[in-house]
């Protein structure tokens, strides 16, 4: 579920308590969590509602200026059902702390196992070490350059880099990426074992 920056900020400060979405079926689950650039959002409730049930107060509580603007936005997909998703801020992105955490030997083994599993799942073969090494050697270089170098499509490659970020190994910059201290420690250990 895409959440605009203004809505995310509202959720973090408590001003936004729910959002509305038009879906053919629910795409959020009670108890679910969504990782965003401002942290983790927890989903408390998902229920189908009729447009007529939504009030001015509901519209403001979801970050809209008024009911008319919310209604206009919801009518862009008139054939789908309307869902009210109640949510709250559940804390900072756990990857932020993880990427600064230097792994011990057991964690290095876990990282290695996770990367080996990612490599095994890719039909084109191992990729994790090459991308980590390239990011280390080329911090803040636009990802298109990496995609061209590796002869990969840009968007699938970015998805792969997000998998590395989920392990706390990389940091996204305004342009490109860099290795986190955790990623550096993993590559240092990997190089020493070669």
């Amino acid at each position: 579920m895409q959440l605009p920056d203004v809505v995310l900020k509202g959720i973090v400060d408590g001003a936004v308590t729910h959002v509305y979405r038009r879906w053919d079926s629910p795409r959020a689950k009670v108890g679910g969590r969504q990782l965003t650039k401002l942290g983790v959002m927890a989903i408390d409730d998902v229920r189908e509602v009729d447009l007529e049930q939504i009030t001015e107060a509901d519209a403001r509580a979801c970050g809209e200026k008024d009911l008319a603007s919310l209604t206009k936005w919801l009518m862009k997909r008139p054939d789908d059902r309307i869902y009210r998703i109640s949510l709250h801020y559940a804390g900072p992105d756990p990857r932020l702390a993880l990427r600064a955490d230097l792994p011990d030997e057991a964690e290095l083994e876990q990282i290695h196992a996770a990367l080996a599993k990612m490599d095994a799942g890719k039909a084109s073969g191992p990729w994790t070490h090459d991308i980590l090494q390239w990011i280390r050697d080329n911090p803040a270089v636009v990802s298109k350059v990496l995609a061209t170098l590796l002869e990969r499509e840009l968007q699938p490659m970015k998805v792969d880099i997000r998998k590395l970020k989920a392990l706390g190994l990389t940091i996204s910059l305004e342009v490109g990426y860099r290795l986190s201290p955790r990623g550096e420690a993993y590559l240092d250990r990997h190089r020493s074992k070669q």
Side-chain angles (χ1 to χ4, degrees):
M1 166 174 55
Q2 293 281 338
L3 297 168
D5 287 354
V6 67
V7 171
L8 286 173
K9 289 175 185 170
I11 295 167
V12 171
D13 70 22
V16 172
T17 58
H18 58 273
V19 295
Y20 293 92
R21 292 292 182 268
R22 276 219 188 241
W23 293 321
D24 53 356
S25 62
R27 301 210 179 117
K29 294 182 181 178
V30 175
R33 292 178 175 259
Q34 181 169 338
L35 187 58
T36 72
K37 61 180 157 183
L38 294 185
V40 179
M41 307 302 154
I43 299 168
D44 302 315
D45 189 43
V46 179
R47 67 181 59 199
E48 187 174 350
V49 297
D50 292 324
L51 187 59
E52 298 77 32
Q53 294 175 287
I54 303 172
T55 67
E56 284 287 342
D58 292 330
R60 285 189 299 279
C62 77
E64 288 289 340
K65 68 177 184 173
D66 57 31
L67 182 57
S69 60
L70 175 61
T71 300
K72 182 179 178 182
W73 182 78
L74 288 171
M75 292 312 293
K76 290 180 180 178
R77 295 182 59 173
D79 295 334
D80 288 340
R81 296 178 280 188
I82 300 172
Y83 291 90
R84 175 185 163 128
I85 301 98
S86 299
L87 40 97
H88 71 275
Y89 178 65
D93 182 340
R95 297 174 302 186
L96 298 178
L98 181 62
R99 65 189 188 193
D101 183 30
L102 295 178
D104 61 21
E105 195 61 34
E107 289 172 309
L108 287 167
E109 286 299 325
Q110 290 171 348
I111 294 168
H112 185 71
L115 295 178
K117 186 175 181 181
M118 288 181 196
D119 284 341
K122 188 68 84 178
S124 58
W127 59 274
T128 58
H129 187 267
D130 290 342
I131 287 181
L132 287 170
Q133 188 65 52
W134 189 88
I135 290 171
R136 173 191 249 177
D137 296 343
N138 302 278
V141 174
V142 67
S143 54
K144 288 183 204 176
V145 173
L146 175 58
T148 301
L149 175 75
L150 297 177
E151 298 178 351
R152 296 218 23 216
E153 290 182 42
L154 181 61
Q155 291 308 316
M157 184 196 72
K158 284 184 165 189
V159 169
D160 285 343
I161 293 173
R162 281 194 292 273
K163 292 175 186 175
L164 300 173
K165 186 177 181 181
L167 293 174
L169 302 177
T170 64
I171 297 171
S172 296
L173 305 172
E174 262 318 296
V175 174
Y177 311 92
R178 72 175 173 86
L179 286 189
S180 67
R182 187 176 187 83
E184 291 279 356
Y186 173 75
L187 274 188
D188 288 345
R189 189 260 196 166
H190 186 74
R191 188 168 43 210
S192 71
K193 287 202 161 193
Q194 289 182 331

